[in-house]
Amino acid sequence: VYENLNLPVAIARCKSNIALVYLIQSDHEKANNYFKEALEITQASGDVMGTATILNHLGEGNRNLGYYEKALQRYNESLDISLDAGLQQPEAISLNGIGLIYSEKGDFLLSIEYFERALKYFYSAGNNDNVAAALNNIGMAYQSMGQYDKAITKFNEAYNFSVTAGSLYNQA
């Protein structure tokens, strides 16, 4: 229907939504294919927010597949677009994704720098679930470095924030 009406942003959103379902189902190859199709549409139509968001999704998909360099490339592309356009939400998601990659590669100090940069935005935007996730990510990095006191502090911050903010992130 959207194709007949020539609504490229809606088409890209539909393809992106299909890709997200595949991502949730851990079918990363199919997710990446749909994200790539959506990315072509957003870029061609000048949809900067859509492009930055899809690049972050592609970063996540590549990270989940263990393609860290490709994931870093996608997250950094999104970060550049986000910074140029003043898009704080995709900027913070990019920073958090880059932090996850560095953490998975064992560069925990660098990952903490990225998580903390993302955390500043999540706090200011009132994005409660992402605040809790970023605090947990920082805690995991400290735990991986054997800095257990700092890890426990961050895990407690995440939990207390979740309870105070009414977030369900850490209340399972």
Side-chain angles (χ1 to χ4, degrees):
V1 170
Y2 293 124
E3 289 172 348
N4 292 337
L5 297 174
N6 194 24
L7 299 172
V9 173
I11 295 167
R13 189 165 293 132
C14 289
K15 289 184 181 285
S16 183
N17 287 338
I18 292 167
L20 286 170
V21 171
Y22 282 125
L23 194 61
I24 290 166
Q25 294 176 327
S26 295
D27 191 338
H28 303 290
E29 294 294 339
K30 282 185 182 174
N32 278 346
N33 289 335
Y34 276 97
F35 282 136
K36 286 177 186 176
E37 290 177 23
L39 181 62
E40 288 177 16
I41 295 168
T42 58
Q43 288 174 325
S45 67
D47 178 7
V48 178
M49 175 65 111
T51 298
T53 300
I54 291 168
L55 285 166
N56 277 332
H57 290 315
L58 281 165
E60 180 182 356
N62 283 300
R63 183 179 59 79
N64 289 333
L65 289 168
Y67 304 146
Y68 297 129
E69 295 312 312
K70 187 67 172 175
L72 275 174
Q73 177 188 341
R74 295 302 193 174
Y75 282 130
N76 279 312
E77 287 176 56
S78 177
L79 183 59
D80 289 344
I81 290 168
S82 299
L83 288 169
D84 287 346
L87 303 171
Q88 293 180 330
Q89 176 71 13
E91 174 188 342
I93 298 296
S94 299
L95 292 168
N96 194 65
I98 293 168
L100 288 169
I101 291 170
Y102 284 123
S103 186
E104 289 171 16
K105 291 175 79 173
D107 193 340
F108 303 112
L109 289 176
L110 189 55
S111 72
I112 289 169
E113 287 179 32
Y114 279 94
F115 293 143
E116 287 179 345
R117 287 174 58 193
L119 182 60
K120 288 178 188 175
Y121 169 76
F122 294 142
Y123 268 127
S124 69
N127 192 325
N128 297 340
D129 286 339
N130 282 338
V131 167
L135 287 167
N136 267 322
N137 289 340
I138 295 167
M140 293 297 293
Y142 280 128
Q143 180 180 329
S144 295
M145 292 188 301
Q147 295 183 22
Y148 301 115
D149 289 341
K150 288 182 178 181
I152 289 170
T153 298
K154 290 301 177 185
F155 293 143
N156 279 324
E157 282 181 46
Y159 175 77
N160 291 332
F161 180 84
S162 295
V163 170
T164 303
S167 169
L168 299 177
Y169 183 82
N170 286 313
Q171 297 184 32

